[in-house]
Amino acid sequence: MSRRIKRTTSPGDRAKGRDKGRDRDRVGDRGKDRGEDRGKSGSAQRGRKPDDRKLGERKSSERKSGERPFAHRAAGKPPRFAEPRRDRQERAEPVMSKTAAAEQPLPTKVQTVVVTADENNMRVDRFLEARFPGLSFSHIQRVVRKGELRVNGKRADSKDRLEEGQSVRIPPLRLDTPKTAGTLSEAEAKTLQALKEMTIYEDDDVLVLNKPAGLAVQGGSGMTRHIDQMLEVMRDAKGQKPRLVHRIDRETSGCLLIAKTRFAASHLTGAFRHRSARKIYWALVAGVPKPKQGRISTYLAKEESEEDSIMRIAEHGDEGASHAVTYYAVVETSATKLAWVSLKPVTGRTHQLRAHMAHIGHPIVGDPKYFNIENWQLPGGLQNRLHLLARRIVIPHPRGGVIDATAPLPPHMQQSWNLLGLEADRFDPIENAPEE
């Protein structure tokens, strides 16, 4: 005979059961929350893809409707200039933390500071600009050039890069007064207007100027007017001035890139350092180069003299010698006496294009330093001025996309083109040149 046994539960057991039930409910709610989060995250990620596709379609349509791409090659061949190279990781200038970058009072006496982790690998001039916003470029260069600023007790160059933990001796500094449109003098207002007339591209971060021939980019001995000095009138409310990103010779006209913010400066200088920037120059040279397209690869070193300095062709291993590579292509000729040549420098050495064209026996017309053909007569009607134009610059924009700016022929070169019957709208074969 079986007997049923009735199970009973004590009040304490019932309490424990209720606790376990609540625990299971809490665990279930957390799992549900995590599931909802994963669902939201997944849908957000999936939701970005159509936008990306639309962005790609939009960029594609812009390329189809706009100007001919910088990379134009025969059918079936991959474009060489169409996209920035991905094989080299670009390193931007280090950006200081908000604490380190906070405006600091200018030192009224000598002080020594220690380079922080955020300032590691930062250039000396950028270090001073970041620590003391509003310092003019000329003041920074003067302090460094005179040896008043020292790193670990030694003189430093403005391009030297600092390392974390180094001690930097900073002399007393003077802050230039920020300029505003309402406080500009008559001369400063004229300077600002001159910069506006030179402008061929501008946004919140970048400025591209069409620099006229004869106007220097930076100051030198006895130089009172130059681009860097003119940019003083564009200081913002915080005293920060637009920065030069690269240089072109005084007698060379054309595209000059300016960074309006520290953010843009770090990205654009990185693009130049890693050769993501594409530059095209136009020149009028003596004779017709053969072959009509080619590559010039040499070493260049500075040769000083009492009167002047030039870049000479050097040997690998020579003191101060740097490798320089230029691609050239003949666009059009004027009989056998002159040729319009398009140039693409891969490297950016001082006077590189001028020295390279003289090296292959076809110096640039009007070049006072490198034109070395004896008894050569300048054709009638042409001005004896340097016929070299920084025609075009293409560089990734710091905030995405591409900056593509083109400068027109300067007056003296336009006159020569007209006299020689050269057509400035001809296809430029240098667009097919390699990147290396």
Side-chain angles (χ1 to χ4, degrees):
M1 179 176 177
S2 63
R3 177 181 296 179
R4 290 185 179 179
I5 300 176
K6 184 177 180 180
R7 296 183 181 272
T8 60
T9 305
S10 68
D13 292 336
R14 285 195 297 273
K16 290 180 181 179
R18 285 194 299 272
D19 292 338
K20 289 181 180 179
R22 282 194 293 268
D23 291 340
R24 282 195 299 271
D25 291 342
R26 283 195 291 268
V27 172
D29 290 340
R30 284 197 297 269
K32 182 178 179 181
D33 292 341
R34 283 196 296 269
E36 291 175 354
D37 290 341
R38 284 195 296 270
K40 290 178 181 178
S41 176
S43 63
Q45 293 173 357
R46 289 191 296 272
R48 282 197 294 268
K49 292 182 180 179
D51 293 338
D52 293 342
R53 286 196 296 270
K54 290 179 182 178
L55 180 59
E57 294 169 1
R58 189 160 58 249
K59 289 182 178 178
S60 176
S61 64
E62 289 172 358
R63 284 196 298 269
K64 291 178 182 177
S65 61
E67 187 182 353
R68 181 175 64 244
F70 190 76
H72 176 79
R73 302 202 62 193
K77 295 183 180 180
R80 292 176 177 175
F81 287 0
E83 294 292 338
R85 290 184 299 171
R86 308 289 184 184
D87 56 330
R88 295 181 182 177
Q89 184 177 359
E90 294 186 6
R91 295 181 302 165
E93 283 276 343
V95 180
M96 296 180 63
S97 65
K98 293 181 180 179
T99 304
E103 185 172 342
Q104 301 182 23
L106 289 179
T108 56
K109 59 182 180 180
V110 175
Q111 69 174 17
T112 301
V113 299
V114 177
V115 178
T116 66
D118 290 327
E119 296 165 333
N120 184 56
N121 200 39
M122 182 177 281
R123 281 176 38 154
V124 168
D125 51 2
R126 304 294 187 220
F127 169 83
L128 285 176
E129 283 183 328
R131 286 242 176 185
F132 308 105
L135 281 179
S136 68
F137 174 84
S138 58
H139 188 38
I140 291 174
Q141 297 301 314
R142 184 167 58 253
V143 165
V144 176
R145 185 174 63 251
K146 290 182 177 181
E148 295 176 354
L149 181 142
R150 292 179 176 266
V151 179
N152 285 352
K154 298 179 180 179
R155 294 177 69 105
D157 187 85
S158 60
K159 296 180 180 179
D160 290 347
R161 294 187 179 271
L162 299 171
E163 296 179 4
E164 180 183 358
Q166 287 182 326
S167 62
V168 181
R169 175 193 183 274
I170 301 177
L173 300 173
R174 173 176 52 81
L175 181 64
D176 292 354
T177 304
K179 299 292 184 180
T180 61
T183 61
L184 293 178
S185 65
E186 182 178 351
E188 290 168 338
K190 289 182 178 179
T191 297
L192 185 60
Q193 181 61 32
L195 289 171
K196 289 183 178 180
E197 292 173 357
M198 295 181 206
T199 301
I200 53 181
Y201 175 86
E202 183 177 17
D203 59 32
D204 291 340
D205 296 289
V206 182
L207 177 69
V208 182
L209 300 179
N210 177 22
K211 186 192 81 66
L215 178 61
V217 173
Q218 283 183 289
S221 178
M223 194 77 62
T224 57
R225 183 175 174 80
H226 49 85
I227 294 293
D228 189 57
Q229 176 264 332
M230 295 174 69
L231 292 173
E232 291 287 346
V233 301
M234 294 184 66
R235 286 188 179 274
D236 60 20
K238 296 181 180 179
Q240 297 187 50
K241 184 186 77 173
R243 299 163 172 80
L244 298 170
V245 176
H246 67 125
R247 319 284 188 269
I248 57 178
D249 296 340
R250 179 177 180 178
E251 296 303 326
T252 302
S253 62
C255 296
L256 180 68
L257 190 65
I258 309 291
K260 296 173 67 176
T261 61
R262 186 178 295 115
F263 167 79
S266 66
H267 283 74
L268 295 174
T269 52
F272 273 93
R273 187 163 57 248
H274 298 289
R275 300 179 187 173
S276 298
R278 278 72 167 156
K279 294 177 289 181
I280 287 181
Y281 288 75
W282 281 2
L284 188 67
V285 303
V288 179
K290 294 181 180 180
K292 289 191 173 182
Q293 295 187 31
R295 177 179 184 269
I296 307 169
S297 176
T298 70
Y299 284 84
L300 295 175
K302 182 177 288 188
E303 186 175 272
E304 300 280 358
S305 66
E306 293 182 0
E307 298 179 354
D308 206 352
S309 65
I310 63 170
M311 300 302 290
R312 63 175 177 84
I313 303 300
E315 298 293 334
H316 179 52
D318 287 357
E319 183 179 357
S322 299
H323 190 217
V325 177
T326 301
Y327 285 91
Y328 73 87
V330 175
V331 183
E332 198 173 358
T333 64
S334 177
T336 59
K337 190 175 181 66
L338 295 166
W340 162 18
V341 176
S342 187
L343 303 161
K344 178 190 177 295
V346 176
T347 54
R349 313 304 178 199
T350 302
H351 296 175
Q352 175 178 319
L353 303 180
R354 299 163 64 181
H356 270 176
M357 295 312 296
H359 172 63
I360 65 171
H362 300 282
I364 299 174
V365 171
D367 192 335
K369 287 179 179 283
Y370 298 93
F371 199 97
N372 51 11
I373 301 178
E374 295 182 3
N375 302 320
W376 192 86
Q377 295 295 321
L378 185 71
L382 271 64
Q383 298 184 44
N384 190 21
R385 301 181 63 184
L386 183 66
H387 282 58
L388 181 61
L389 166 69
R391 170 67 174 176
R392 189 176 180 190
I393 186 167
V394 180
I395 189 170
H397 193 285
R399 299 188 188 276
V402 175
I403 301 166
D404 188 346
T406 301
L409 288 167
H412 71 282
M413 289 182 67
Q414 184 64 65
Q415 179 185 11
S416 299
W417 258 239
N418 293 340
L419 290 170
L420 298 172
L422 304 177
E423 300 176 5
D425 59 351
R426 286 180 65 93
F427 169 68
D428 190 347
I430 202 67
E431 295 185 1
N432 293 338
E435 298 180 24
E436 292 290 355

